[in-house]
């Protein structure tokens, strides 16, 4: 019985696979000449006297030494490849003749094991962290109402070394009836941050004053503040120095649960600023940004009164955009003339009557989503938005209406992060947009009482100009917008036509369902 050949004894690789210069090969000869044929076509002589001889007459010892050298080189290359990402040359990864297949043949493990006993493989070094190597994940978050998992914000504790007072310049019961539910929800007695809410009486209408007096009786933390003369100088002079004030316009009809904590956080974290304002829905400064960020949806006013509308799409409980029907009309009718103050109106107090070009189609109308929505966004009023405090976003009711209907759709879809932009110290709580001394609406603002009182009287009756531009430049303390704090501002004086939409009913329906306590539902106004 013949002895196994050298490859079978040692498990060595075929010598012709390594292209060694000192090994010779010989053309295959027929078996009748005493040669056995190797599968790859090279020939080896049979054993003689129990000893195998490689073709060319080289000794087995020399061949083994050469092969061990090659294997040691391979082992070191593999170690480097694992630790440092260095690629081995193709000649060490592929056998001759395999280049066309694109596959790397696996080499027998036995030869590699032998040199590893002599040459210790170094421990692979730790790979440095990269931006794509996130830290260990936090515990799983509770699923949100939409089914999407969201990380919960750490619950903040309200600062205890100063008061936080809500400041309302009161004059419009129809919107304050909605705002009331949000104010009560944010009182310290209900887990919020407002120690008190001051209603500064800014109207002479007897019926409105009687209405707010009735509202004050419903909550002991509500305070009435009277002023001796008309004007914002007198209204701001009612402040105290120590508290931080959250000035909220009386036509704010929605704000998110974290809006007050977030602007307080930013005011404390950025002492260089004079005031911090929320990210406003329906504002000339933020509307243009919302349009460019993709927060605005394609809506136009319905062209005629609906027949038999569903109660989900129109009525006291209707606020969800998903229940609205699709806008009906031809492509040529898919447009709406943008008109407003200085754009067809003699002044910002003028009103377009229903049916007039650029005015509401009829009282109580809805705005409806367009077919092929985003493809037709360019045909809607918001396509004319400008980053201009006196531009169309302020002057025209149509841009304001489209802002609000878009917001209600995003609110229903839990898609409010689309409004976040800017950078902040805490990415979960703020995105900072620095107005850099440009004018900004102050409809929802955090400011220290001392900073106001020390700069009274204002140079003009325009308190918005004073507290976003004039005083800010004087003190070199800009106004910042925290874009994570969201607040819906219903309308400007120039947008009175907004009351001819069903938007006020929609915000009221949302508050009744989501915010107001049982027994404190807002009564529907009689038209």
């Amino acid at each position: 019985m013949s002895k196994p050949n050298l490859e079978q004894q040692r498990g060595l690789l075929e010598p012709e696979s390594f292209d060694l210069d000192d090994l010779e090969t010989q053309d295959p000869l027929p078996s009748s000449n005493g040669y056995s044929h190797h599968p790859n076509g090279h020939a080896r002589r049979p054993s003689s006297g129990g000893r195998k001889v490689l073709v060319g007459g080289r000794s087995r010892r020399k061949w083994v030494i050469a092969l061990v050298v090659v294997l040691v080189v391979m082992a070191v290359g593999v170690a480097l490849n694992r630790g440092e990402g260095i690629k081995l040359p193709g000649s060490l990864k592929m056998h001759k003749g395999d280049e066309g297949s694109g596959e790397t043949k696996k080499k027998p493990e036995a030869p590699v094991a032998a040199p590893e006993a002599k040459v210790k493989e170094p421990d692979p070094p730790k790979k440095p962290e990269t931006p794509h190597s996130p830290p260990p994940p936090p515990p799983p978050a509770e699923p949100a109402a939409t089914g999407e998992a969201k990380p919960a914000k750490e619950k903040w504790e309200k600062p205890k070394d100063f008061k936080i007072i809500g400041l309302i310049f009161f004059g419009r019961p129809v919107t304050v009836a909605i705002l009331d539910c949000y104010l009560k929800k944010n009182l310290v007695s209900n887990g919020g941050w407002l120690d008190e809410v001051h209603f500064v009486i800014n109207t002479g209408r007897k019926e409105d004053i009687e209405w707010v007096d009735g509202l004050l009786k419903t909550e002991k933390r509500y305070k009435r503040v009277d002023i001796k003369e008309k004007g914002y100088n007198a209204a701001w002079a009612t402040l105290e120095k120590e508290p931080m004030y959250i000035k909220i316009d009386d036509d704010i009809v929605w704000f998110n649960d974290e809006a007050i904590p977030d602007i307080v956080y930013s005011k404390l974290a950025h002492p260089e600023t004079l005031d911090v304002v929320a990210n406003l829905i329906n504002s000339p400064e933020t509307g243009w940004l919302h349009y460019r960020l993709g927060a605005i949806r394609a809506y136009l006013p319905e062209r005629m009164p609906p027949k038999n509308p569903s109660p989900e799409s129109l009525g006291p409980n209707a606020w969800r955009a998903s229940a609205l029907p699709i806008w009906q009309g031809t492509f040529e009718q898919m447009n709406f003339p943008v008109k407003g103050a200085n754009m067809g109106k003699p002044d910002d107090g003028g009103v377009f009557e229903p049916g007039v070009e650029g005015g509401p189609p009829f009282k109580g109308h809805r705005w409806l989503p367009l077919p092929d929505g985003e493809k037709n966004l360019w045909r809607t009023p918001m396509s004319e938005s400008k980053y201009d405090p006196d531009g169309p976003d302020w002057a025209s009711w149509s841009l304001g209406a489209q802002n609000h209907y878009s917001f209600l759709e995003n609110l229903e879809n839990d898609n409010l992060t689309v409004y976040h932009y800017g950078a902040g110290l805490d990415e979960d709580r703020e995105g900072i947009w620095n107005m850099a001394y440009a004018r900004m609406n102050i409809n929802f603002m955090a400011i220290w009482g001392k900073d106001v009182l020390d700069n009274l009287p204002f140079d003009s009756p325009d308190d918005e100009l004073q507290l976003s531009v004039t005083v800010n430049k004087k003190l070199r303390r800009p106004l910042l917008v925290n874009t994570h704090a969201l607040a819906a501002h219903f309308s400007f004086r120039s947008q009175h036509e907004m009351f001819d939409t069903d938007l006020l009913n929609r915000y009221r329906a949302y508050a009744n369902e989501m915010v107001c306590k049982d027994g404190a539902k807002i009564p529907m106004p009689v038209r």
Side-chain angles (χ1 to χ4, degrees):
M1 184 174 178
S2 61
K3 294 176 81 174
N5 60 31
L6 184 62
E7 292 83 359
Q8 292 170 332
Q9 286 180 335
R10 302 284 187 180
L12 299 177
L13 294 172
E14 302 159 6
E16 52 274 19
S17 299
F18 291 96
D19 199 23
L20 299 175
D21 292 333
D22 59 339
L23 293 178
E24 298 177 3
T25 60
Q26 182 172 326
D27 292 336
L29 296 175
S31 57
S32 58
N33 289 342
Y35 289 90
S36 60
H37 293 282
H38 198 270
N40 65 7
H42 293 290
R44 284 178 173 45
R45 297 183 184 273
S47 59
S48 174
R51 181 184 179 191
K52 285 188 179 291
V53 181
L54 289 173
V55 176
R58 299 287 183 177
S59 69
R60 185 173 59 184
R61 177 182 295 274
K62 188 173 182 178
W63 159 242
V64 172
I65 291 173
L67 185 56
V68 168
V69 171
V70 172
L71 293 174
V72 169
V73 172
M74 289 180 61
V76 173
V78 170
L80 290 173
N81 192 37
R82 289 176 181 173
E84 301 294 338
I86 302 172
K87 293 184 178 180
L88 290 174
S91 61
L92 293 180
K93 287 190 173 182
M94 297 177 65
H95 287 283
K96 246 181 195 179
D98 288 340
E99 290 87 345
S101 67
E103 297 180 358
T104 303
K105 287 188 177 180
K106 185 178 180 182
K107 298 178 175 55
E109 297 179 2
V112 179
E116 283 181 348
K118 298 178 181 179
V119 181
K120 185 179 179 181
E121 182 178 336
D123 293 333
K126 286 187 177 181
K127 293 184 180 180
E129 286 194 3
T130 68
H132 302 289
S133 302
E142 292 293 327
T146 57
E148 179 187 356
K150 290 187 174 182
K153 285 186 180 180
E154 181 183 351
K155 182 70 175 176
W156 278 8
E157 289 189 7
K158 176 185 177 295
K160 297 178 180 178
D161 52 344
F162 59 88
K163 278 186 177 181
I164 299 176
I165 298 177
L167 182 67
I168 315 296
F169 293 165
F170 170 78
R172 289 171 280 193
V174 68
T175 48
V176 173
I178 299 173
L179 176 61
D180 170 50
C181 289
Y182 292 89
L183 295 174
K184 286 175 177 170
K185 182 179 181 180
N186 281 271
L187 292 171
V188 290
S189 52
N190 294 320
W193 282 31
L194 295 177
D195 294 289
E196 301 172 5
V197 177
H198 293 181
F199 289 84
V200 180
I201 306 303
N202 194 35
T203 178
R205 290 172 58 93
K206 182 179 178 181
E207 58 269 34
D208 292 347
I209 295 174
E210 290 176 349
W211 184 90
V212 76
D213 282 341
L215 179 66
L216 297 178
K217 294 176 182 178
T218 67
E219 175 53 56
K220 65 181 181 181
R221 294 181 183 273
Y222 283 2
K223 311 291 183 184
R224 171 173 167 167
V225 179
D226 293 293
I227 53 178
K228 297 178 180 179
E229 59 187 54
K230 283 188 175 182
Y232 286 113
N233 270 321
W236 285 106
T238 64
L239 274 56
E240 302 170 15
K241 284 197 171 187
E242 292 76 18
M244 180 182 291
Y245 286 86
I246 309 299
K247 189 260 190 183
I248 304 174
D249 272 19
D250 66 349
D251 63 343
I252 293 293
V253 289
W254 179 95
F255 60 89
N256 65 320
D257 291 343
E258 298 296 325
I260 292 174
D262 283 354
I263 61 173
V264 170
Y265 165 84
S266 293
K267 187 70 191 78
L268 297 175
H270 301 275
E272 75 279 6
T273 186
L274 178 66
D275 36 10
V276 175
V277 174
N279 188 359
L280 298 169
I281 308 302
N282 188 27
S283 163
E285 289 83 4
T286 56
W288 181 87
L289 290 162
H290 296 167
Y291 180 70
R292 295 313 190 272
L293 288 166
I296 304 302
R297 309 300 175 208
Y299 280 84
L300 283 177
E302 56 188 340
R303 299 172 54 244
M304 58 188 67
K307 296 179 179 179
N308 303 317
S310 69
E312 293 80 19
S313 68
L314 182 64
N317 299 316
W319 67 268
R320 290 175 172 81
S322 59
L324 290 170
I326 298 297
W327 183 89
Q328 299 293 319
T330 65
F331 184 76
E332 289 72 22
Q333 293 169 330
M334 193 183 291
N335 61 72
F336 191 80
V338 174
K339 294 194 173 184
N342 306 317
M343 301 163 58
K345 280 185 183 179
D347 57 49
D348 62 359
V351 178
F352 287 128
E353 293 298 324
V356 174
E357 184 182 45
F362 55 90
K363 287 186 179 295
H365 75 279
R366 303 167 297 179
W367 282 54
L368 306 178
L370 296 186
D372 296 326
E374 304 314 304
K375 293 181 180 179
N376 292 314
L377 185 59
W378 66 279
R379 298 183 67 83
T380 64
M382 277 300 293
S383 65
E384 298 192 27
S385 175
K386 294 180 180 178
Y387 193 75
D388 179 358
D390 299 317
D393 299 74
W394 168 80
S396 176
W397 73 279
S398 59
L399 278 75
Q402 189 178 351
N403 263 291
H404 282 300
Y405 282 95
S406 297
F407 169 72
L408 288 170
E409 179 179 329
N410 292 325
L411 178 62
E412 179 187 358
N413 294 333
D414 197 16
N415 187 33
L416 299 185
T417 55
V418 71
Y419 293 98
H420 296 174
Y421 54 91
L425 299 176
D426 182 343
E427 63 180 12
D428 290 330
R429 298 205 175 265
E430 68 174 8
I432 293 299
W433 184 260
N434 189 336
M435 290 303 299
Y437 307 105
R439 183 172 183 137
M440 176 62 192
N441 305 130
I442 56 172
N443 308 99
F444 197 105
M445 173 185 68
I447 192 167
W448 289 108
K450 182 180 186 300
D451 286 336
V452 175
L453 294 174
D454 287 352
N455 291 281
L456 287 178
F458 292 148
D459 295 339
S460 78
D462 187 346
D463 63 337
E464 181 177 284
L465 178 67
Q466 294 296 309
L467 293 176
S468 63
V469 179
T470 307
V471 176
N472 304 70
K473 286 182 175 179
K474 172 185 171 184
L475 301 178
R476 299 182 182 180
R477 295 171 65 188
L479 179 151
L480 302 182
V481 179
N482 183 343
T483 66
H484 288 214
L486 289 169
H489 167 243
F490 190 69
S491 65
F492 295 101
R493 170 183 164 88
S494 54
Q495 297 176 329
H496 188 80
E497 296 86 354
M498 206 88 76
F499 288 94
D500 289 327
T501 71
D502 77 334
L503 274 168
L504 202 59
N505 289 349
R506 289 183 174 273
Y507 279 110
R508 182 181 293 108
Y510 178 88
N512 280 338
E513 181 180 334
M514 299 291 191
V515 184
C516 303
K517 287 186 175 181
D518 292 339
K521 301 297 183 183
I522 307 162
M524 295 295 292
V526 178
R527 281 192 173 271

